[in-house]
Structures are given as structure tokens and as C-alpha cells.
Amino acid sequence: MRIVLLEKSRVAQLFNGERSYHIFYELCAGASPILKERLKLKTASEYTYLNQSDCLTIDGVDDAQKFRKLLEAFDIVQIPKEHQERVFALLAAVLLLGNVSFRVTDNENHVEVVADEAVTNAAMLMGCNSEELMVVLSTRKLQAGTDCIAKKLTLRQATDMRDGIAKFIYASLFDWLVEQINIALEVGKSLTGRSISILDIYGFESFKNNSFEQFCINYANERLQQHFNRHLFKLEQEEYEEDGIDWTKVEFEDNQECLDLIEKKPIGLLSLLDEESNFPKATDLTFANKLKQHLKTNSCFKGERGRAFRVNHYAGEVLYDTNGFLEKNRDPLPTDLMHLLASCNCQLLKLFSTKMRNKSQKPLMLSDSTNQTVGTKFKGQLFKLMNTLENTSPHFIRCIKPNSKQLPRVYEEDLVLQQLRCCGVLEVVRISRSGYPTRLTHQEFAGRYGFLLSDKRVSQDPLSVSIAVLKQYDVQPEMYQVGYTKLYLRTGQVGIFEDRRKKVLQGIVGLQKHFRGHLSREHFQNMRNGALVLQSFVRGEIARRMFDIEAKLYADSVSEASTGELTAVIHLQSAVRGWLARKRFNSMQRQKELLNVTTISKRKAGRRISQDKDTPLEQFQVEPSAMSDLQKRVLESEAALLQKEEENTALREQLRQFEERWSEYETKMKSMEETWQKQMSSLQMSLAAARKSLATENVTGQAGGRQDTSISPIGYESEDTTSTTATPGLRTPTTNFTNGNTPELRSRELNGSLNAVNHLAREFDQRRLNFDEDARAIVEVKVEPETSTTNGQQEQHPEDEFRKLKLRFETWKKDYKARLRETKARLHKGRHRKWWGK
């Protein structure tokens, strides 16, 4: 960031309807109560620098909210809280300096400072003595040889001194703040040569009383207006001439003569002002007379009576009053003021005074001013700004003020027209209408519109293509100009080519769209068909694999559950069929009893008829209704008899089926008995081998010992037995011994192992007998269609009994094998220890 044309006068002087710098109002409205107490802050209306314009607030703007955003911005650019408070203290001191008042002490208008809270608080915030500040504001020290003379200041001089201090503090504070922001942003380290700059300037000023500040602002606007004119008018005409365009020059007002009046040396207005400022006895009146004497030949200058003069600016004529020109141009900073700032406790003020001393190229002379005047500094800053603008591509935005009352929806035609004329907008419109605003090089025009040519025999150089396109669309000769390097078109002509180009491109794009869509759809269909074929193969393979897996799982589950389910189904079917058979049997029995009763009744009736033959017919008469009822009952009895005979036949068939099924059950039970016989034989052989091995070891390992070796072979004929109680095996614990064990200990251990084997043999014999007895009991029982217990519950089927018997046998067999393996392991362990004990 760079500072250009800081308007310091706005700190101390305001015009009606405008505000000073916004930071003053934001500080008064948004500071915390603690900060206000520390800085002795008041409301904005109590400060002379702020209330002189009768404009303290802006509609729609919250100064307190703005102040909070300012604090956030300080934190973002990493300005410490301590420095922030120092900045606010100096701003409060500037406001308090404006409230410092003076009292006239003599007839020569000399003054002294009124010792009130304003000067006291200002000195406190600046970190200096209030008495020293009062002396600096009311007197000036002059060096005459070796003597130092204190001269009292008049009211005007004291006021200027007070305002000068305030403006110096604010300007120095502004420079320091910009420097801190640049340090935080590290400007210069990553500079690439490219930048975007924004210059905001109000424009020409013309008030009832125009002084040195308005002169500097209007001078800057004159220089910027020339840049605007040069860019829009001069450069455009020069371009036409350089490219050989037959075009009548547009006359426009040039302000070069006014700029010469202000900055030409040695008789320019600024040069004469600096010259007059170097004379101690010069006054504003002598400066005005010198201007009238040297500048009366310039058409832009017009002298007036007294201290006034007129300058004919680009925006119009402005009347200036030279009152205060010399003093403001000098911008006096007395030596005693610099010493006062250097002696302050505030570190920022010390820094400001040190920088001011370093900028001075020679010691302060009797004039008490630095080497450069305000006008010279302002001119140098303006020239730097213009050099920056010349090296950029400028874009201009003209802001038009609709009315002077700052009211919405109010439009003052005279004011707007004056602004348009002052800003040169009317000249821009006039030269644009008379010129050729659209300019394209031949290469650009041919590259953009060359494809519109229908005649392909035209030469392909850019100039020939451009001319052929113009002729093809019948563009009138006065609507364009062909230059050496560019083609110039008047307003609206390029729209013809753009419309035609747009239509052709839309047709081309439409054709490409349909063709690409056709290719894409064809490619999509091919890809889709291929994907479907691939998916069909993949899904088929997956389905086949899943089917194989499910088939295996189903086969395993069926093999495990088929036996139990089949048994349950058979048991259920047997119960149901038995119930049906019993029901039919009972029904047939009842019918048989009824048939017997009917036969007996018929026989009795025959005897009664034979006895009554001798009875006269008159004495025995049968009623017709009884006869019909008797015939009906006979027919029903015959039908029931036939039905019972059919049921008996069905029952005989079911009985035959039951006998066949029972024979199948006996076959299955015999096969199961053979299987169990084999398994028990295997267990018997394992047990005999274990006992034989143990007996052999006992004979060889124990001399003279006695052992029960009566182990007889065990023959097992039937395993189809069941036992409700299982005899637990006796497990003899083994005793660990070392190499030093005695033969008695080893003999005792072998006896324990042999006892365990004998116990297993006895258990095997007992189980065999139990299984044989239960199996024979089941085999000998005859299967009846339906048997009932005393409790009325149905007994279980023999096949279920065999199944339960087999389950119990398998359970006992697993437990017996486990104990047999444990006994073998114990015997093996005993042999191992015996070998180590030798």
C-alpha cells in the first residue's frame, strides 16, 4: 500500500454537510467504557473538529459496529493490543487539541492558552507536560545569533499552530499504520510486477470560500482529467492517423494550458508560491500581487481585487482566496514543537519526530520549516501517481451525484448535466459516435468471421478474407474503414457478423450433436449387449455354484435329520392308522351285535306267526304303517351288514400289512444286533490285550509279588441291551517317582494299574449282561395294533426302543473307550519310568 494525496486539512476544517475521517466517530461511539475512561473520550458532538459541519451520523451506518470490525482488522494484520491502545490515545489527543481555546491578552491580538481540561488531557495522552504544550501553542522561538527570542503568536497563528500539530500527528499516524499493514502483508517479498490499483477521488471542488486545500485537489483533478483525455481522445486520434484512416479529427477541449499555469517553471503558480514562501516578510497579499503580475497573460488566469484570483479549470472557473496560502504551504513545524514531541513519553510521537528530523536535508533555519513545501511534496506525489497510471491499463468509472440534497429518488438535471460536462463524458459520447469504436486486426477478423465466406476461391491472406466478408454481407463503405493493420467498424456493424456467426455455429453444433449422439448410442448399445452377455454367463456360473453349495448343505442336513424325521413320521402314521383300525373294528362289532339281534327277532316273529295261524283273521290284524316301518328297518339292516363286511375285509388287509412290517422290523433289529456284536467284540479284544500287557509287566517287574491275573476271555453275543444306570469307572491315580524309588513303590503302582484294568473288565461283563437282557426282552415282545397302559397312555414302538437302546450304547461306548485309553496311557507311563529307574 502507498499513500497518495492524503487530505490532512479534513482533520481540522470541514464544510457543511460533510464528516471528518470516520475513525473519530467510530472511536467515540464504539469504545468500551474502560477505554473511554482511560482516554477521556466524550461524544462526537462535544469536539470542535467534529461538530463544525453539523453532520455527526450517516443514515444506515452503525459507527459502533464499524469500530468492532476495525478491532478485528487490527487483530488480522497482527497489530498488538498495546500499539492499538497507543493509536487510539493519539486519536483522542487530536480531538482534544481541537477543543484547546485561546484568550487574547493585548491590543495586538496576542493570545495565551486557556488552561482547561482539554489541554491537560491532551498533554496527558501525548505523554508531555501541559505547561510545555501551552508554551508551544502560544509562542514561537526565534534564533537571533546566539540569543533565543520568544515571540507571542496571534490568534490566527496560534490556531494554525494547533491545527498543524493535529494534522501532523494524524498524518504521521496514518503513515505508520500503512507501514505496519505492509509489514504484516509482507509486501515486496512476493512482488511479481502485476497489480490492481484503485484510485478514488471526488472530483473538482468549488465552494463559496476556496483555499489552498481546494487548489491542491483541483490541481490533481486537472492532471487526472488530462490523463483521461489523453487516453480516450488523443490516443484514439493518433491511432487513426498512424493506421491511415481517412477520418476527420474531433475537436475537444484540452487542459494543457491550465496545467502549464499551475506547474510550469519558473513562473508557474506553484513555483511562485514556493518562492514567496521562502521570504519571511511575504504575505498572502504580496503573493496575490505577484500572481497577477506574472500570470496575467495566461488565458486560464484572472486576477481579482485584493487577495483573490480565478483559475479556469477543465470543469469550470473557480475563485480562490490567497488567505493562508503561504502558511499552509510552509506547514510550519517549529523547533520547539519537534523538541516537545521528542521528549514525550509516547513511543509513537518519538518515532514520528525522529523520522521528520531524518527527512530534513539541512538544519532548521529561521523559517522554521523543512526543505520541501507542501505544494512541492504534493506535486511530487502527483507525478508518481501519474507515472503509475501511465504504465497501467486504466478503466474509468464516473460516479454521478443525482442531487445536492442527498435524497433518494431526486434527480436534478442541471447538476447531472454539469457533472457529465465536467467529467468529459459528453465529449466521450460525441467522439465515439463520430469514430469507429470497434477495432479488430485483420488476423482477428479473418480468424473469427472467415468461415462465413461462401466463396472459397478468395485468397487466404487475412486482408483479402476481411474485405471479402464485408462485401458478401453488403456492408456500406461509410460504415467501415480498412487500415494498414486493423479493420475499423462503426457502432452496430459487428453485430451483423456476430448474429450470422452465432447461427452458423448453432447449426454446426446441432449437426455435431446429432452425429455424436448417434455414435454414442451405437457405442452404448454395443457395450450394453456385451455387458448383458457377460452378465448372463457370470450369473449362470454363480447360480450353478450356489446350487452346488446349497445341494451339498441340503444333502448333509437331510442325512443328519432324515433318520429322526422318518422315525417321527412312521410313529405318527402308526398311531393314526391304529386309531382308525380300532374305530372300524368297534363299528363292525356293533353292526354284528345288531345283526344278531335282528335274526333273533325274526325267529321269534316266525314262531309267533305259526302260533297265530289258528287264530282267526279277524282277531289279528297288522296295521299298514307298522308293516312299512318294519320293512324299512330290514332294508337298513341289510345295508349295514354289507358295509360291515366291507370294513372287515379292509381290516384284514391292514392286519396283513402290519405283519409284513413287523417282519421287516425283525430283520432290521437282527442287523443292528450283529453290528453291536462286532463293536463289543472290538472293545473286548482291546480290554484283553490291556490286561495281558499289564500281567506280563507285573511278572517281570516284581519278584515274589502276588498278582490277580485271572483274566478270562470275554465272549459277547448280543449288544442290544439298555441300562438306566451306569457304573462309574474307578480311576487309580498314578504316583510319580524318581530314579531313587524302591521296587516296593514300583510294585504298588503296578498293582494299582492292574486293579483299574480288572475294574474295566468287570464293568464290561456287567454291561454285556444288561444289554443282552434288554435286547431279548424287546425282541420277544409281539407288536399289537394298539396297546394301552393302565394310565391310558400309548406304549412306545419297538423300533423307538431299539433306537434309544442304541443311543445309550453309543454313549457308554465313548465313555468306556476314553477310560480304556487313559489306562493304556498310564501303563505306558509306568514302563517309561521303569526304564529310567534302572
Side-chain angles (χ1 to χ4, degrees):
M1 294 178 60
R2 289 185 299 174
I3 302 174
V4 179
L5 310 177
L6 179 63
E7 190 178 359
K8 296 186 296 183
S9 61
R10 188 179 289 271
V11 175
Q13 182 182 3
L14 299 176
F15 294 96
N16 190 23
E18 68 177 10
R19 296 207 314 175
S20 182
Y21 290 101
H22 298 301
I23 182 59
F24 295 123
Y25 306 93
E26 295 171 1
L27 180 62
C28 295
S32 63
I34 299 176
L35 184 61
K36 287 183 178 180
E37 178 66 23
R38 190 180 300 132
L39 302 182
K40 309 299 180 184
L41 283 174
K42 302 178 181 178
T43 60
S45 60
E46 298 182 60
Y47 292 108
T48 305
Y49 282 162
L50 303 181
N51 61 18
Q52 57 181 312
S53 65
D54 296 330
C55 181
L56 299 176
T57 60
I58 302 176
D59 294 338
V61 177
D62 187 358
D63 291 325
Q65 180 67 23
K66 292 285 187 179
F67 183 76
R68 287 190 288 271
K69 291 184 177 180
L70 175 65
L71 295 179
E72 294 177 1
F74 276 150
D75 294 336
I76 291 174
V77 296
Q78 300 177 358
I79 295 180
K81 296 292 185 182
E82 181 182 357
H83 290 177
Q84 295 180 26
E85 188 168 344
R86 291 177 183 176
V87 170
F88 297 145
L90 291 181
L91 292 174
V94 170
L95 294 177
L96 289 172
L97 285 175
N99 288 357
V100 173
S101 58
F102 302 94
R103 181 173 55 247
V104 179
T105 58
D106 53 23
N107 296 331
E108 296 182 359
N109 205 22
H110 293 154
V111 296
E112 64 180 11
V113 179
V114 177
D116 55 6
E117 63 174 357
V119 66
T120 303
N121 292 334
M124 183 268 296
L125 294 175
M126 294 172 61
C128 63
N129 190 289
S130 59
E131 296 294 336
E132 296 178 358
L133 179 60
M134 294 170 62
V135 171
V136 171
L137 292 176
S138 60
T139 61
R140 178 178 299 177
K141 293 182 180 179
L142 300 177
Q143 191 72 26
T146 58
D147 298 331
C148 184
I149 303 173
K151 179 183 178 181
K152 289 187 177 182
L153 300 179
T154 62
L155 179 61
R156 179 59 182 273
Q157 291 174 341
T159 303
D160 291 343
M161 177 61 69
R162 179 197 65 187
D163 295 343
I165 296 174
K167 290 188 288 184
F168 171 76
I169 293 176
Y170 185 84
S172 301
L173 189 61
F174 194 90
D175 294 342
W176 176 84
L177 185 60
V178 172
E179 182 181 355
Q180 296 301 313
I181 294 175
N182 288 334
I183 292 174
L185 299 178
E186 296 183 355
V187 173
K189 293 184 178 180
S190 59
L191 190 62
T192 61
R194 297 179 181 179
S195 62
I196 298 176
S197 302
I198 299 176
L199 176 63
D200 183 14
I201 190 167
Y202 180 77
F204 288 96
E205 291 185 352
S206 179
F207 303 105
K208 184 177 180 180
N209 184 17
N210 299 291
S211 186
F212 180 72
E213 292 81 10
Q214 283 69 44
F215 173 75
C216 293
I217 292 173
N218 291 336
Y219 167 47
N221 278 281
E222 283 289 347
R223 177 56 68 181
L224 293 174
Q225 185 65 45
Q226 186 194 46
H227 178 74
F228 178 75
N229 294 343
R230 179 182 179 82
H231 182 74
L232 293 181
F233 303 145
K234 288 185 177 181
L235 296 181
E236 187 169 5
Q237 289 188 10
E238 291 175 0
E239 183 179 1
Y240 290 153
E241 293 176 357
E242 291 177 358
D243 214 17
I245 300 301
D246 185 10
W247 180 69
T248 304
K249 292 184 178 181
V250 177
E251 299 296 335
F252 61 90
E253 185 177 357
D254 193 2
N255 63 344
Q256 184 61 45
E257 186 176 2
C258 181
L259 290 173
D260 293 340
L261 170 67
I262 296 174
E263 61 188 17
K264 187 177 180 180
K265 294 182 179 181
I267 56 173
L269 200 151
L270 288 177
S271 299
L272 295 176
L273 178 61
D274 290 343
E275 181 181 343
E276 197 69 11
S277 298
N278 291 329
F279 292 108
K281 295 183 179 182
T283 62
D284 296 330
L285 181 59
T286 59
F287 170 63
N289 293 332
K290 180 175 287 189
L291 293 180
K292 297 173 186 178
Q293 178 183 356
H294 293 85
L295 302 178
K296 59 183 179 180
T297 58
N298 194 304
S299 59
C300 295
F301 180 84
K302 183 179 179 180
E304 298 289 336
R305 282 188 175 185
R307 296 174 298 186
F309 65 94
R310 293 179 182 273
V311 175
N312 187 16
H313 291 286
Y314 183 86
E317 196 174 70
V318 180
L319 177 64
Y320 295 101
D321 187 359
T322 59
N323 185 21
F325 261 61
L326 295 179
E327 193 70 17
K328 293 177 182 179
N329 185 50
R330 290 169 183 159
D331 195 15
L333 290 176
T335 305
D336 47 356
L337 174 61
M338 300 302 297
H339 292 318
L340 176 65
L341 296 178
S343 63
C344 291
N345 294 332
C346 181
Q347 299 296 328
L348 291 179
L349 290 179
K350 289 184 178 181
L351 179 63
F352 299 159
S353 62
T354 302
K355 289 184 177 181
M356 183 58 64
R357 290 178 180 274
N358 295 335
K359 288 181 180 179
S360 178
Q361 298 180 356
K362 59 181 180 179
L364 296 176
M365 303 301 292
L366 192 61
S367 62
D368 292 326
S369 63
T370 56
N371 191 30
Q372 284 187 333
T373 61
V374 174
T376 302
K377 294 178 183 178
F378 188 84
K379 181 180 177 181
Q381 292 179 350
L382 183 59
F383 272 56
K384 290 181 179 179
L385 174 63
M386 298 313 301
N387 290 333
T388 302
L389 294 177
E390 291 291 342
N391 296 326
T392 59
S393 299
H395 299 271
F396 299 93
I397 299 175
R398 292 295 186 181
C399 299
I400 305 301
K401 189 177 181 180
N403 60 79
S404 58
K405 300 178 182 180
Q406 298 183 356
L407 296 176
R409 299 183 180 180
V410 177
Y411 185 80
E412 297 178 4
E413 295 183 358
D414 295 337
L415 178 62
V416 172
L417 183 61
Q418 179 184 2
Q419 294 179 78
L420 293 176
R421 184 179 293 108
C422 294
C423 296
V425 175
L426 297 181
E427 291 293 325
V428 172
V429 173
R430 186 168 65 87
I431 195 172
S432 297
R433 293 180 61 184
S434 60
Y436 300 94
T438 304
R439 305 162 196 174
L440 297 171
T441 63
H442 299 310
Q443 290 81 2
E444 293 174 351
F445 189 86
R448 187 169 182 81
Y449 307 109
F451 70 94
L452 299 177
L453 272 179
S454 57
D455 188 5
K456 301 302 180 181
R457 294 173 296 177
V458 179
S459 178
Q460 296 302 313
D461 62 283
L463 179 59
S464 301
V465 173
S466 300
I467 296 174
V469 172
L470 292 173
K471 290 181 178 180
Q472 177 175 329
Y473 290 95
D474 297 329
V475 181
Q476 299 300 322
E478 63 271 11
M479 303 304 295
Y480 69 91
Q481 287 282 346
V482 180
Y484 300 140
T485 59
K486 295 181 181 180
L487 184 64
Y488 297 82
L489 298 172
R490 293 194 183 275
T491 304
Q493 298 305 308
V494 74
I496 300 174
F497 303 108
E498 285 294 329
D499 292 341
R500 183 58 183 169
R501 180 177 180 273
K502 183 178 180 181
K503 292 179 180 179
V504 174
L505 290 179
Q506 286 179 350
I508 295 173
V509 171
L511 181 61
Q512 292 177 347
K513 175 180 65 176
H514 289 289
F515 181 71
R516 290 170 180 169
H518 170 72
L519 294 179
S520 298
R521 284 189 292 273
E522 184 178 0
H523 179 68
F524 171 75
Q525 290 297 335
N526 294 334
M527 295 293 291
R528 182 175 179 274
N529 295 334
L532 291 177
V533 173
L534 182 61
Q535 287 176 355
S536 65
F537 282 107
V538 173
R539 289 171 180 168
E541 182 63 23
I542 293 175
R544 285 187 290 272
R545 292 182 180 180
M546 292 299 295
F547 176 78
D548 294 339
I549 295 173
E550 292 179 359
K552 291 179 180 179
L553 294 176
Y554 179 75
D556 296 339
S557 62
V558 167
S559 63
E560 293 177 358
S562 60
T563 304
E565 293 179 356
L566 183 60
T567 303
V569 170
I570 293 173
H571 182 71
L572 181 62
Q573 289 177 350
S574 64
V576 172
R577 289 169 180 169
W579 176 77
L580 292 175
R582 288 189 296 275
K583 182 178 179 182
R584 291 177 184 176
F585 177 76
N586 294 332
S587 177
M588 291 174 66
Q589 190 173 10
R590 285 193 300 270
Q591 289 178 1
K592 185 177 180 180
E593 292 176 355
L594 181 61
L595 182 59
N596 294 332
V597 172
T598 303
T599 304
I600 295 170
S601 64
K602 284 182 180 182
R603 291 176 181 177
K604 289 181 179 180
R607 294 192 194 100
R608 192 180 299 115
I609 291 171
S610 62
Q611 291 175 2
D612 293 339
K613 283 182 180 181
D614 298 333
T615 304
L617 184 62
E618 296 84 10
Q619 296 179 3
F620 185 78
Q621 292 181 354
V622 181
E623 295 180 358
S625 59
M627 181 62 70
S628 60
D629 184 37
L630 182 60
Q631 291 177 355
K632 184 177 180 180
R633 290 175 60 186
V634 170
L635 293 175
E636 290 178 354
S637 299
E638 292 177 353
L641 182 60
L642 293 175
Q643 184 178 1
K644 293 300 180 179
E645 290 178 353
E646 293 177 356
E647 291 180 356
N648 289 335
T649 304
L651 290 174
R652 292 189 190 96
E653 181 65 24
Q654 290 182 359
L655 183 59
R656 186 183 60 82
Q657 293 177 0
F658 290 156
E659 291 176 353
E660 292 178 355
R661 192 176 301 167
W662 172 245
S663 63
E664 293 178 359
Y665 291 160
E666 287 182 347
T667 304
K668 290 182 180 179
M669 285 187 288
K670 288 181 180 181
S671 64
M672 293 171 63
E673 183 180 358
E674 292 176 357
T675 302
W676 293 345
Q677 179 69 26
K678 293 178 182 179
Q679 293 178 356
M680 293 303 293
S681 298
S682 176
L683 290 175
Q684 182 180 358
M685 292 173 65
S686 299
L687 181 60
R691 295 180 61 183
K692 184 177 180 181
S693 175
L694 184 60
T696 304
E697 291 177 0
N698 188 24
V699 172
T700 57
Q702 181 178 0
R706 298 182 67 184
Q707 191 86 321
D708 185 8
T709 58
S710 59
I711 301 175
S712 59
I714 299 175
Y716 182 65
E717 298 178 355
S718 177
E719 299 177 1
D720 299 332
T721 61
T722 182
S723 177
T724 58
T725 59
T727 303
L730 296 176
R731 300 186 181 183
T732 304
T734 58
T735 304
N736 297 328
F737 57 89
T738 58
N739 295 339
N741 288 341
T742 61
E744 288 78 8
L745 294 177
R746 290 197 299 271
S747 176
R748 190 180 307 160
E749 184 176 1
L750 291 175
N751 290 334
S753 300
L754 186 58
N755 291 334
V757 174
N758 292 332
H759 177 74
L760 290 176
R762 287 193 297 271
E763 181 183 356
F764 182 83
D765 295 337
Q766 183 65 32
R767 290 285 184 171
R768 183 194 62 181
L769 295 176
N770 293 338
F771 282 137
D772 289 341
E773 292 175 0
D774 292 341
R776 292 191 187 97
I778 294 174
V779 172
E780 292 174 356
V781 173
K782 291 185 179 180
V783 177
E784 296 182 359
E786 182 177 3
T787 58
S788 300
T789 60
T790 58
N791 298 330
Q793 296 179 353
Q794 183 179 349
E795 293 183 353
Q796 294 185 355
H797 197 274
E799 186 174 359
D800 295 337
E801 294 293 336
F802 273 113
R803 187 178 295 106
K804 293 181 180 180
L805 179 61
K806 181 179 179 180
L807 180 61
R808 290 170 183 162
F809 174 74
E810 292 293 340
T811 304
W812 172 78
K813 184 176 69 172
K814 290 181 181 179
D815 180 67
Y816 189 80
K817 285 185 177 181
R819 284 183 286 160
L820 184 61
R821 282 195 298 270
E822 183 179 356
T823 304
K824 288 182 179 180
R826 191 183 304 167
L827 294 176
H828 178 72
K829 186 175 182 181
R831 288 196 304 269
H832 181 70
R833 292 177 179 174
K834 177 181 175 181
W835 181 83
W836 280 104
K838 291 181 180 181

